[in-house]
Amino acid sequence: VAHRHFVLPDPAVPELRPEQVAKIEAELLRAGGKERFRKISLHLGVVEAQVAMRFRLFEHEGKTFISHQIPQRAIFEGLLHQLEPSRESVCRAMVFCMDNALQCAPLLASCLVQSLTVPELNARAALARLFLVSDVLSNSKSGARGAARYRSHLEAALPDALEELGR
């Protein structure tokens, strides 16, 4: 995997609008943390310089991909994308959350809640993500550094996400 160098902001290139950022983040969440740049570009009418200001671009097998600047988020979205309602799968994702709690609890909690609102989420994926929410909440009392922060972030955001999931 070849990584591109940081692209300096170009005053001639407009920044992404908030709705474009939200659409890119939703697409990355749906796709498991990375997506082909060409697909995003065609769908949203954005150029590489715009995207590079907020996201990470990288080459893989001759194609340009887009991912998050924060690697933990990209990894976690990949775990969510592959999450199965099995002990092993849920445990792997929960351990990742606890291992990264100190630095990333608010970000990962937000990502987990958003993953419950992905359009056309199948019942198996929803069940696996709900198991993960339960395990993260249960382990938020474990004493792992930063883990308690999951509880407050999940308690604040879960009601709306669960209401949307129920629709």
Side-chain angles (χ1 to χ4, degrees), residues 10-165:
D10 181 351
V13 178
E15 288 189 35
L16 292 172
R17 296 184 313 273
E19 63 271 12
Q20 289 174 312
V21 172
K23 286 180 181 179
I24 291 172
E25 288 180 345
E27 187 60 30
L28 291 175
L29 181 61
R30 188 201 59 72
K34 70 177 183 179
E35 183 58 87
R36 286 190 53 198
F37 171 74
R38 181 166 169 74
K39 181 178 179 183
I40 299 285
S41 175
L42 292 173
H43 181 67
L44 296 177
V46 296
V47 296
E48 204 170 284
Q50 285 177 296
V51 172
M53 288 184 226
R54 298 270 316 233
F55 296 91
R56 181 175 69 94
L57 295 169
F58 63 96
E59 299 287 331
H60 182 68
E61 297 179 357
K63 296 178 179 151
T64 303
F65 284 83
I66 179 175
S67 185
H68 294 285
Q69 293 283 6
I70 301 169
Q72 289 92 337
R73 181 169 179 170
I75 292 167
F76 188 56
E77 287 184 359
L79 288 170
L80 288 171
H81 186 69
Q82 299 169 357
L83 193 64
E84 296 287 326
S86 69
R87 285 181 190 217
E88 180 183 337
S89 182
V90 172
C91 182
R92 187 177 325 114
M94 188 275 304
V95 168
F96 181 84
C97 288
M98 293 302 118
D99 287 349
N100 290 280
L102 186 61
Q103 294 176 339
C104 302
L107 175 68
L108 298 179
S110 173
C111 188
L112 179 54
V113 169
Q114 289 173 357
S115 77
L116 293 169
T117 64
V118 171
E120 301 173 19
L121 183 65
N122 66 49
R124 186 172 173 83
L127 182 62
R129 292 169 187 191
L130 289 171
F131 284 158
L132 179 57
V133 166
S134 176
D135 278 11
V136 167
L137 283 171
S138 178
N139 284 285
S140 67
K141 298 177 186 176
S142 70
R145 294 188 68 207
R149 295 169 51 199
Y150 281 113
R151 180 167 294 282
S152 60
H153 288 281
L154 289 172
E155 285 176 348
L158 269 176
D160 292 337
L162 293 175
E163 185 176 318
E164 190 170 328
L165 178 64

